[in-house]
């Protein structure tokens, strides 16, 4: 049996994912998802849904990552406020990982081969892309939440990074800020100034880390990360 043309497969894939995301959005709206996206409002909505609350959080976080414009940070803060720090952070990570893997897989199936053919020797997109460089790039962009979670996922999909390394970089990189923002839901209710100071401190450290590693390539941390070795 002859395989369907590439464009038929790609069109069907896009249509299927779009239909699933539209269905999730319709369901969330039908159940009364607040459009303000304030952490307290979303947390109250999660709690009002009873046992469906955790599932709806997973669906909302997955949708936010795949679609992009929906903000993920208020959802993470709401998860911590509704379910507690550790359960809320865990649910947020699972939902974000699901969305990230969907976006990564879409980009890989739709655009990876075209870029690899055009840039065969490029260290990011070519056949022999630098896995170490790509892993660190994903890790750093996940550590600093100013980068769009969805955009990084789609961009990584067309690079040479392996699926396992993408998943590892995403999981490890998102963990610190997920815990911070999951704690902000309750912290903002109690002490907004303290919460803001904590976020600024974490963002400062995460932003300066790449600069430090670049300047101190022979430090113990750089050596542990294998940054002091030349790329193969």
């Amino acid at each position: 049996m002859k395989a369907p043309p590439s464009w038929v497969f790609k069109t069907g894939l896009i249509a299927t994912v779009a239909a699933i995301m539209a269905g999730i959005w319709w369901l969330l709206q039908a159940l009364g998802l607040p459009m303000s996206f304030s952490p307290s409002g979303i947390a109250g909505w999660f709690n009002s849904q009873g046992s469906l609350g955790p599932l709806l959080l997973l669906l909302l976080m997955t949708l936010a990552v795949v679609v992009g414009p929906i903000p993920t940070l208020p959802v993470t803060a709401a998860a911590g406020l509704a379910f507690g720090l550790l359960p809320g952070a865990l649910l947020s990570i699972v939902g974000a990982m699901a969305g990230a893997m969907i976006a990564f897989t879409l980009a890989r199936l739709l655009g990876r081969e075209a870029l690899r053919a055009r840039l065969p020797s490029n260290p990011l997109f070519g056949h022999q892309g630098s896995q170490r460089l790509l892993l660190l790039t994903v890790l750093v962009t996940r550590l600093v939440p100013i980068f769009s979670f969805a955009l990084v996922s789609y961009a990584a999909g067309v690079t040479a990074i392996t699926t396992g390394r993408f998943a590892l970089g995403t999981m490890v990189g998102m963990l610190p800020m997920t815990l911070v923002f999951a704690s902000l839901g309750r912290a903002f209710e109690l002490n907004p100034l303290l919460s803001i100071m904590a976020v600024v401190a974490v963002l400062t450290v995460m932003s300066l880390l790449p600069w430090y590693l670049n300047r101190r390539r022979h430090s113990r941390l750089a050596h542990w990360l294998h940054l002091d070795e030349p790329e193969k």
Side-chain angles (χ1 to χ4, degrees):
M1 183 175 180
K2 189 176 180 179
S6 175
W7 68 266
V8 174
F9 168 75
K10 293 179 178 180
T11 302
L13 180 63
I14 295 174
T16 299
V17 174
I20 293 173
M21 293 301 112
I24 292 175
W25 180 245
W26 175 85
L27 175 64
L28 295 176
Q29 284 194 310
L31 293 175
L33 172 67
M35 292 296 98
S36 64
F37 279 95
S38 67
S40 58
I42 301 175
W45 178 70
F46 284 147
N47 289 329
S48 70
Q49 301 301 313
S51 59
L52 286 178
L55 175 60
L56 295 177
L57 167 59
L58 293 176
L59 292 177
L60 178 58
M61 185 61 77
T62 301
L63 178 69
V65 174
V66 175
V67 174
I70 301 175
T72 58
L73 297 183
V75 179
T76 303
L81 186 59
F83 307 114
L85 173 58
L86 293 181
L90 178 60
L91 288 168
S92 297
I93 289 173
V94 172
M97 282 297 299
M101 296 311 298
I102 292 173
F104 176 85
T105 303
L106 272 177
R108 174 133 301 185
L109 293 176
L110 298 178
R112 169 69 183 134
E113 290 302 322
L115 273 176
R116 183 162 59 178
R118 290 177 178 272
L119 305 168
S121 60
N122 187 284
L124 296 182
F125 305 104
H127 295 275
Q128 302 296 327
S130 171
Q131 294 299 318
R132 183 185 302 159
L133 175 61
L134 288 163
L135 174 61
L136 288 174
T137 300
V138 171
L139 180 63
V140 170
T141 53
R142 295 308 193 197
L143 286 171
V144 185
I146 60 174
F147 298 101
S148 167
F149 205 95
L151 183 58
V152 171
S153 301
Y154 283 111
V158 298
T159 69
I161 192 171
T162 64
T163 302
R165 284 186 171 89
F166 170 76
L168 176 63
T170 296
M171 175 72 74
V172 174
M174 71 182 294
L175 182 59
M177 295 310 299
T178 299
L179 290 171
V180 168
F181 281 96
S183 69
L184 288 185
R186 194 168 303 279
F188 264 117
E189 298 288 326
L190 300 175
N191 194 328
L193 179 59
L194 182 61
S195 300
I196 293 174
M197 291 175 61
V199 173
V200 170
V202 172
L203 289 178
T204 300
V205 172
M206 296 308 181
S207 300
L208 291 178
L209 182 60
W211 174 84
Y212 171 81
L213 291 173
N214 186 58
R215 294 291 298 271
R216 301 291 299 276
R217 295 187 66 85
H218 298 291
S219 65
R220 290 184 177 180
L221 179 58
H223 178 71
W224 180 73
L225 290 170
H226 293 174
L227 291 179
D228 57 343
E229 299 178 2
E231 291 293 337
K232 296 180 180 180

